[in-house]
Amino acid sequence: MTSTEDGMIGRARVQDTAELTRFYDALGELNAGALWTVANDIEPWYPKPKSVPVLWSYRQLRPHLLDAAKLVSGDDAGRRVVMLVNPGRKELSAAVGLLYSGLQIMNPGEKMTAHRHAAAALRFVVEGQGAWTIVDGDRLEVGPRDFAITPSGTWHEHGNDSADTPVIWQDGLDIPLVNTVDANFYEVHPDLHQQPGKVIGASLLEHGAGILKPVGRSWQKRYSPLLAYPWEMTYEALLNQARVTGGSPYDGVIMEYVNPATGGSVMPTMGAHMQLLAPGLATTAHRHTGSVVYHVAKGRGHSIINGNRFDWQENDIFCVPSWAWHEHANDSGSDDACLFSFNDFPFIHTLDLYAEDAYTENGGHQYSD
Ligand code: 1HN
């Protein structure tokens, strides 16, 4: 096993002296510093995220969302969102790692103006009928447990056509990532609204067949040409998969929402999964680089994240920071549980930074302390 002693040779281990303190001060005056004073912090033996595991209770947050719907107009807020803030990531407005998330509420009959930004977004619908979003001219109509994407640079605007019920959905964005690399841009649509195409849900009609893909339609973009992923198709795919395999020891039956043109992730910075935990299933712990935000799409259970137990029920949201041990359990003996999740894995993989470790009796077998 690798030693992780900071006093060993090979690690910075200079003791402070009065003379060194004067030396550090002099460097500081010149906007410089001695690497060995920070080396062990900026080169941790293994990832040490500032993010902590958090569970956001939907039951507790929902009344505040309804308050927000009364307190601010959609037009004034731009987007009426209660964001999910990780206590270790406040300065970045991140839910975990470099991922942002929030719960957005739209009143009956309300519609938001169109804009676009370099940051990419995704939505997972929680409740309400009548929700729609227009993404680059494609009008998508979405309901509970549907998943939709708003890739980087696409014009988007949303609304709720219901006469009497609010719509609540979860937003996920890579905004902390895009801001960290100082690459974000924002634009309001010159006409405030787009002109939608004639066919509703065109991307789903064209690219949603699953076993067939259109011939002669080339797609050069880095994100999926399919923008909406309905729950019914997703759940059916999971149930079919579960008839053939028990899935992964860490995740149960888990499937990735894909770009049907490539089989890869839906967007270059963020990916998304839906997983099914059979009644009574408890998974084995593992850890990996990359951050994940979970939404309980169905059922009840618990997850143990770095030794802390989080009990969850439908519509709760929780996060797993990079390199945190985690395992999930379905606490019902009769009903399945489904977890939707989104992550930064595509970005982590692009940079060859993915690492994974299975839990063993001595607490993991590589890079561990
Ligand atoms: C955004 O554009 C939306 O379009 C929601 O609904 C949340 C959070 C940060 C930045 C942009 C939306 C957002 C956002």
Side-chain angles (χ1 to χ4, degrees):
M1 181 174 290
T2 325
S3 170
T4 52
E5 284 266 340
D6 272 346
M8 69 188 279
I9 188 150
R11 291 297 267 183
R13 50 177 190 173
V14 177
Q15 303 289 324
D16 276 350
T17 63
E19 196 180 10
L20 275 172
T21 303
R22 284 192 296 278
F23 171 71
Y24 298 148
D25 289 347
L27 288 180
E29 291 293 317
L30 300 173
N31 295 313
L35 173 62
W36 60 87
T37 62
V38 298
N40 294 350
D41 287 335
I42 66 172
E43 293 173 295
W45 295 101
Y46 51 88
K48 291 188 174 164
K50 293 207 168 66
S51 304
V52 294
V54 181
L55 180 128
W56 291 275
S57 155
Y58 190 68
R59 190 179 47 77
Q60 289 180 336
L61 280 171
R62 191 175 184 276
H64 297 290
L65 277 158
L66 297 175
D67 281 349
K70 290 197 209 97
L71 290 168
V72 293
S73 75
D75 276 346
D76 286 347
R79 265 68 180 133
R80 196 192 293 101
V81 178
V82 169
M83 58 180 190
L84 308 177
V85 185
N86 195 292
R89 277 308 221 192
K90 286 185 186 157
E91 75 290 358
L92 286 171
S93 298
V96 63
L98 294 174
L99 298 171
Y100 158 98
S101 194
L103 288 163
Q104 176 159 185
I105 181 163
M106 285 182 286
N107 282 320
E110 197 168 42
K111 67 178 184 191
M112 308 288 170
T113 52
H115 68 205
R116 66 177 176 181
H117 32 70
L122 54 81
R123 331 275 166 198
F124 188 73
V125 183
V126 187
E127 61 174 277
Q129 303 297 330
W132 53 267
T133 171
I134 305 174
V135 180
D136 264 357
D138 187 14
R139 183 179 156 110
L140 323 171
E141 299 189 339
V142 289
R145 299 174 175 151
D146 287 348
F147 168 62
I149 59 169
T150 309
S152 170
T154 55
W155 291 111
H156 54 284
E157 62 194 279
H158 328 299
N160 174 6
D161 278 355
S162 157
D164 40 34
T165 50
V167 159
I168 299 176
W169 70 37
Q170 184 183 358
D171 295 308
L173 285 97
D174 59 8
I175 227 169
L177 166 67
V178 176
N179 286 340
T180 296
V181 294
D182 292 327
N184 213 357
F185 293 90
Y186 187 98
E187 236 179 304
V188 173
H189 194 283
D191 306 325
L192 292 182
H193 293 285
Q194 305 163 76
Q195 209 55 262
K198 280 195 204 67
V199 182
I200 291 171
S203 85
L204 184 59
L205 295 171
E206 198 178 355
H207 300 283
I211 57 169
L212 295 163
K213 73 176 187 184
V215 173
R217 303 276 283 123
S218 76
W219 182 260
Q220 305 304 335
K221 305 207 166 103
R222 295 277 306 277
Y223 57 83
S224 169
L226 177 60
L227 302 172
Y229 298 76
W231 161 250
E232 292 73 19
M233 291 167 77
T234 307
Y235 190 49
E236 191 188 351
L238 280 172
L239 291 177
N240 288 340
Q241 191 74 203
R243 290 175 61 184
V244 181
T245 166
S248 139
Y250 311 114
D251 286 305
V253 176
I254 182 161
M255 298 183 87
E256 183 176 11
Y257 293 92
V258 287
N259 173 342
T262 62
S265 60
V266 289
M267 296 187 285
T269 52
M270 291 187 292
H273 293 97
M274 183 69 84
Q275 71 195 80
L276 182 143
L277 306 174
L281 181 79
T283 68
T284 306
H286 75 155
R287 62 181 174 181
H288 47 69
T289 50
S291 304
V292 185
V293 178
Y294 290 86
H295 181 112
V296 182
K298 188 173 183 292
R300 62 179 177 86
H302 71 270
S303 299
I304 299 174
I305 310 168
N306 274 349
N308 298 304
R309 177 177 169 136
F310 296 89
D311 287 282
W312 39 256
Q313 51 185 296
E314 208 161 293
N315 298 331
D316 286 347
I317 296 168
F318 62 94
C319 68
V320 174
S322 183
W323 211 237
W325 292 114
H326 56 284
E327 62 196 79
H328 310 296
N330 179 351
D331 290 336
S332 164
S334 53
D335 298 326
D336 56 32
C338 292
L339 299 176
F340 166 81
S341 59
F342 70 93
N343 59 66
D344 56 9
F345 297 160
F347 162 73
I348 293 280
H349 279 295
T350 294
L351 302 181
D352 286 346
L353 293 173
Y354 189 76
E356 189 176 1
D357 189 10
Y359 193 79
T360 59
E361 282 307 301
N362 61 10
H365 49 252
Q366 56 166 338
Y367 305 125
S368 61
D369 58 1

